Amino acid sequence: MSANDLTLVHVTDTHLLAGGALLHGRIDTWARTAEALEAAARFSPDAVVVTGDIADRGAQVHAGAAKLFEHAARELRCPVIVVPGNHDPAGSVGATFNRKRIASGPNPADTVHMNGGLRIIGLDTHGFRESAGRLSRPQLHWLRAVLAIPAPRGTVLALHHPPIDSVLPALAGRGLTRPEELAAVLAGSDVKGILCGHYHLPTFGSLGSIPVWIGPAVSYNHNLLAPDGQVHDLDTSWFSVIKVGAGQLSATPVQGPRPAAVMSREVAVPARQPALL
């Protein structure tokens, strides 16, 4: 990678709650999100990409979240690009988000952004209150038309549901349905990488020859060594730094700030709870 590479900060699965409520009774997700966005300044991002589950269980937080992301955009002097997840009601990521978009698609959160010659396309993978996501045929037709003209420095896709499976059996079948349809649209295109969330677990894979990065969550993350049927490490909050260069893409998870008083705590929560995704 070189000094001319573009830097993206990838934030996902913030699971914000209304009225000062704490996630699982102890996690201040607003504070964790603000801390992640503040820490992003250290990396001088060219854009921040937020890949869904802004809210937890459909909480009415999107007006406040839009203000938070707009404030971050001013402080960081870069666009904040947002797509919804399965905890975000249909239409909740609308006109108050993605103000720097240069084009829109079939859904309000299908957006196109251009930054330093890099094109970032956000896709709404639907699935509110469902585990799996999907892309409609109109979305795929629109995406194919957008990609027909290459961008000067290539394209990165942002979507919530990963087009690859998780190593955790509890997450089986909870990614993007029919990923082969997306792969067919992307074949031969200038897409350099796909950024996703949803799994609360950093994972790298590929869709065809295109790298897929599933970022760790800002809210909390899974522990692969936890006993069956449980989730640990509610005190871990992460974001990612993505470097995009000529023919290259790298992803680095970054652990967010944590209060010293809770660094050694470990809490178990049943993995079957819908809130975990």
Side-chain angles (χ1 to χ4, degrees):
M1 310 299 281
S2 72
N4 294 323
D5 297 336
L6 294 175
T7 300
L8 309 178
V9 165
H10 179 204
V11 171
T12 193
D13 295 272
T14 56
H15 286 268
L16 302 175
L17 290 165
L22 301 179
L23 185 65
H24 298 309
R26 60 174 296 190
I27 302 173
D28 187 340
T29 51
W30 284 96
R32 288 192 174 184
T33 303
E35 288 166 355
L37 292 170
E38 183 178 355
R42 177 172 297 189
F43 303 97
S44 302
D46 295 289
V48 173
V49 180
V50 183
T51 54
D53 280 1
I54 298 156
D56 185 72
R57 297 175 181 264
Q60 296 184 14
V61 298
H62 292 84
K67 292 179 181 178
L68 175 62
F69 294 148
E70 188 68 20
H71 174 75
R74 291 194 299 270
E75 291 294 311
L76 296 170
R77 298 181 180 180
C78 72
V80 177
I81 298 162
V82 184
V83 297
N86 58 299
H87 280 248
D88 302 309
S92 58
V93 176
T96 55
F97 295 86
N98 299 314
R99 294 184 183 274
K100 299 295 184 180
R101 62 186 179 273
I102 61 171
S104 298
N107 299 288
D110 298 329
T111 57
V112 181
H113 309 255
M114 191 70 74
N115 196 299
L118 178 69
R119 179 169 54 194
I120 303 172
I121 301 176
L123 293 170
D124 183 349
T125 50
H126 310 286
F128 178 53
R129 298 192 185 279
E130 302 173 9
S131 294
R134 63 188 183 279
L135 292 170
S136 67
R137 294 200 178 279
Q139 284 179 290
L140 292 170
H141 290 322
W142 171 77
L143 178 61
R144 189 187 297 275
V146 172
L147 294 176
I149 302 175
R153 300 182 71 172
T155 298
V156 169
L157 298 187
L159 54 153
H160 182 66
H161 295 84
I164 59 176
D165 288 329
S166 171
V167 70
L168 277 175
L171 303 183
R174 299 192 176 200
L176 184 71
T177 58
R178 300 189 300 277
E180 67 279 0
E181 294 182 353
L182 177 60
V185 171
L186 302 187
S189 74
D190 69 346
V191 174
K192 293 187 170 186
I194 303 172
L195 306 182
C196 314
H198 192 47
Y199 287 163
H200 290 244
L201 184 70
T203 303
F204 174 81
S206 64
L207 182 67
S209 62
I210 298 174
V212 176
W213 173 247
I214 304 166
V218 167
S219 54
Y220 69 91
N221 290 275
H222 293 294
N223 179 353
L224 291 175
L225 298 179
D228 289 344
Q230 293 184 329
V231 178
H232 285 232
D233 290 345
L234 297 189
D235 291 321
T236 62
S237 177
W238 296 73
F239 60 95
S240 307
V241 175
I242 313 298
K243 290 284 190 177
V244 184
Q248 293 182 307
L249 183 144
S250 71
T252 303
V254 180
Q255 190 164 20
R258 291 190 293 166
V262 301
M263 286 185 69
S264 63
R265 296 179 188 172
E266 192 172 67
V267 175
V269 178
R272 63 180 177 273
Q273 289 190 6
L276 298 182
L277 292 175

